[in-house]
Amino acid sequence: MKNIRNFCIIAHIDHGKSTLADRLLDFTHTVTEREKQEQLLDNMDLERERGITIKSHAIQMEYIYKGENYILNLIDTPGHVDFSYEVSRSIAACEGALLIVDAAQSIQAQTISNLYLALEHDLEIIPVLNKIDLPSAKPEEVTDDIIDLLGCKMEDVLHASGKTGFGIEQILAAIIEKIPAPKGDPKAPLQALIFDSVYNPFRGVETYFRVMNGEVHSKQKIKFMSTGKDYFADEVGTLKLTQAPKKVVRTGDVGYLITGIKEAQEVKVGDTITDALNPTDARIDGFEDVKPMVFAGIYPVVTEEYEELRSSMEKLKLNDASLVFLPESSMALGFGFRCGFLGMLHLEIIQERLEREYDMAVITTVPNVSYHAFTKKNPNIPILVNNPSDLPDPSGMDRVEEPYIKATIITKSEYVGPVMSLCIEKRGVITNQTYLTTERVELHFDMPLAEIVFDFYDRLKTVSKGYASFDYHPLGMRESNLVKVDILLNSQPVDALSSLIHTDNAYKIGKKMVEKLRQLIPRQQFDIPIQAAIGAKIIARETIKAVRKDVTAKCYGGDISRKRKLLEKQKEGKKKMRQIGNVEIPQEAFMSVLKLND
């Protein structure tokens, strides 16, 4: 056990974690020349296309240091704020962390937030200054920033380059010397933490775990503590680039387990595995429940595929424990699911993964957040409003509360003005402003979550020319003046397009929504009025003109009354069509409502 080291890599998005992980794998000869490729641990097509890590990946390396054999278990983690739950799970399975900072970009918001996560779990932090080969690198300045942040010495900050492989040997030496070996009692009853799982269509659920006490043997009878069910360990082993089966996985090591479980709900991330015959008393804590920030409905395009969508979502939840969903139905879209996501990028990724990995064609409704409504009858009992249609009747309503967040934005001092005006436009209140250096400023805002879930992140990047980084955590609920804006198509309300909006912005957003929908909905055989309404009051209207056939073309010459008769006949037909006509809404219409500022 004294020769095992478990560590993860944490950093802000695009600071070179995956590339540095590649160099560590090359240097320890974990991968052969044939298997080498860029971003080796990012094995999803989506990760490679977008150049981001979505899933944390575990891999075991072997390294000889001063004549002794060491086993190094590395977990590469995502850097985007929407996947911070993945990071918290990886941290729970480790004793140390490499904190990677880009020598050109310096410390960003997500660097600080991931660092605090690691410090809460008492991890040993090894700071690494990456990309020092870049012409724009500022090693001395950034080293000073790291020393201020961590309170470490200058010689503790390691210089490296993931691209050229410079400094990799020093990083491996620091991992072995500074990160403590795992603690645990090999003789105690088995106690292992599940930190991830994936669904294999041939072998059932594959569970990834870290052994805290005791050991797991192949063919052993084991028990999952949260469900209380027993299984046989068909195969256990460690995670090299491919799975390496072993007879036993010992204390302190990271491995995988296959038990032939076919039901996705039976495996819960954060659960404790123990021996069925000699169980442990203690569960492992250190796992927080995920708090979804953004809610949206996901519906199958073909209503009959509802059950297939359910099983696809359950399999996806195995691999992404931060996805939360409940069944719901909509007047316009039939049966589907109300899903909770950690942010807009997370929503996009889940939708893409459903389409690619499970071949499901889905419609996503307008994302929103959860509100609390209070009635005059029970002013202290909140009613949870996940969907604008759940809002009680305005006449009996006392107040509505919406979730607020504390936003941390780090940007260059020259962009403070535009960033502040963007946040104030989004109903933000500035609470603090700190100059980290003469060039870089940290701004703290209290903001309504509803204002940031749509296009805030994109617009922040635009106004700061890409130099602002953003992180947030929830503050709780606060009272707010909100109204429900309904969209009526052909005088019929479309519940999937309703939204709760602050009174000050209701008219402006209602007008933008109907203008956008007029461009997106195809013309029909009859006039379609599109209206935005608050209660019974119409606040904006646009009309999609009918596609008309020229019925008077065959009348040349003769009395005008012949033409009039044909036009009147057409008018009657259009009127009848409008009464029974149905308007199809394309999928782009739901998502485009979010991009109103484009």
Side-chain angles (χ1 to χ4, degrees), residues 42-80:
D42 294 350
N43 51 13
M44 236 188 276
D45 293 348
L46 262 174
E47 292 180 314
R48 296 184 160 282
E49 282 168 25
R50 291 175 177 243
I52 57 174
T53 305
I54 295 167
K55 285 288 306 157
S56 55
H57 297 275
I59 191 164
Q60 190 177 84
M61 303 180 281
E62 287 173 16
Y63 184 58
I64 298 170
Y65 179 69
K66 293 186 177 170
E68 281 197 62
N69 256 336
Y70 285 89
I71 290 175
L72 312 176
N73 289 311
L74 152 71
I75 303 178
D76 179 24
T77 63
H80 195 281

Side-chain angles (χ1 to χ4, degrees), residues 137-155:
K138 305 186 288 279
E140 291 82 11
E141 271 179 51
V142 181
T143 304
D144 291 343
D145 292 350
I146 295 173
I147 292 167
D148 290 346
L149 181 67
L150 287 174
C152 59
K153 299 189 183 73
M154 186 173 268
E155 54 272 19

Side-chain angles (χ1 to χ4, degrees), residues 4-7 65 70 95-98 122-128 150 152-158 170-181 183:
I4 295 176
R5 299 287 183 273
N6 298 319
F7 68 100
Y65 179 69
Y70 285 89
E95 278 83 30
L98 294 182
D122 292 331
L123 263 60
E124 179 64 41
I125 308 288
I126 298 174
V128 177
L150 287 174
C152 59
K153 299 189 183 73
M154 186 173 268
E155 54 272 19
D156 293 342
V157 181
L158 303 175
Q170 287 84 337
I171 293 175
L172 286 164
I175 289 167
I176 290 166
E177 286 173 5
K178 292 186 180 175
I179 295 177
K183 298 179 179 67

Side-chain angles (χ1 to χ4, degrees), residues 141-334:
E141 271 179 51
V142 181
T143 304
D144 291 343
D145 292 350
I146 295 173
I147 292 167
D148 290 346
L149 181 67
L150 287 174
C152 59
K153 299 189 183 73
M154 186 173 268
E155 54 272 19
D156 293 342
V157 181
L158 303 175
H159 288 205
S161 163
K163 193 173 174 186
T164 62
F166 171 78
I168 297 298
E169 206 167 340
Q170 287 84 337
I171 293 175
L172 286 164
I175 289 167
I176 290 166
E177 286 173 5
K178 292 186 180 175
I179 295 177
K183 298 179 179 67
D185 181 358
K187 300 280 185 291
L190 169 64
Q191 187 193 35
L193 169 78
I194 299 177
F195 67 88
D196 204 356
S197 50
V198 289
Y199 188 81
N200 180 329
F202 305 106
R203 309 194 67 182
V205 178
E206 298 174 358
T207 310
Y208 298 160
F209 62 87
R210 151 82 199 272
V211 185
M212 300 299 188
N213 292 307
E215 41 194 42
V216 186
H217 295 265
S218 179
K219 305 292 180 261
Q220 178 181 0
K221 195 175 184 190
I222 54 154
K223 178 180 181 179
F224 286 17
M225 288 184 80
S226 71
T227 57
K229 293 192 175 176
D230 299 354
Y231 306 97
F232 275 102
D234 294 341
E235 188 182 302
V236 297
T238 51
L239 295 152
K240 292 286 177 63
L241 191 57
T242 52
Q243 295 166 341
K246 294 266 175 83
K247 288 268 193 306
V248 58
V249 178
R250 302 184 193 283
T251 314
D253 215 344
V254 172
Y256 72 93
L257 162 75
I258 295 175
T259 52
I261 300 173
K262 289 283 187 279
E263 287 301 313
Q265 306 96 306
E266 291 178 27
V267 180
K268 290 184 169 58
V269 168
D271 193 3
T272 306
I273 304 174
T274 187
D275 187 3
L277 307 173
N278 177 20
T280 176
D281 309 327
R283 284 174 177 237
I284 303 163
D285 350 301
F287 256 90
E288 60 212 75
D289 269 344
V290 56
K291 298 183 191 72
M293 292 286 186
V294 177
F295 294 86
I298 288 187
Y299 294 84
V301 171
V302 181
T303 324
E304 289 77 54
E305 290 179 355
Y306 173 70
E307 281 305 324
E308 282 172 53
L309 180 62
R310 180 196 292 275
S311 79
S312 303
M313 301 270 273
E314 282 168 356
K315 288 170 189 169
L316 197 54
K317 186 172 167 57
L318 270 180
N319 199 230
D320 184 349
S322 48
L323 171 66
V324 180
F325 61 91
L326 292 165
E328 74 161 2
S329 62
S330 145
M331 298 274 287
L333 302 167

